[in-house]
Amino acid sequence: IWKAVKDTAVTLDLSMPGMSGPSVNLKPAGGQFEGKAALSMVGDWTARMTVKAGADTGTADYRFNVK
């Protein structure tokens, strides 16, 4: 079972090629992080997740398509 790390900030920055989109601060919920964003256009999107825990920071990009 995964548990949320204390004092952790998780941000999701959404964008399309050449355009910025919404930024969402995810909140801990039941051992996970969750949040909501409205994607207003169809097409290719990138979600960049940034996790900050203490002095450590990590990022990961997830690419997806909205139809």
Side-chain angles (χ1 to χ4, degrees), residues 8-43:
T8 300
V10 181
T11 304
L12 194 62
D13 294 305
L14 300 158
S15 63
M16 295 184 80
M19 300 172 65
S20 62
S23 182
V24 180
N25 293 317
L26 304 180
K27 299 185 188 295
Q32 301 178 39
F33 288 88
E34 62 182 35
K36 293 182 181 182
L39 303 177
S40 59
M41 297 177 67
V42 298

Side-chain angles (χ1 to χ4, degrees), residues 6-11 50-58:
K6 291 181 182 180
D7 301 322
T8 300
V10 181
T11 304
T50 303
V51 179
K52 295 180 182 180
D56 297 323
T57 300

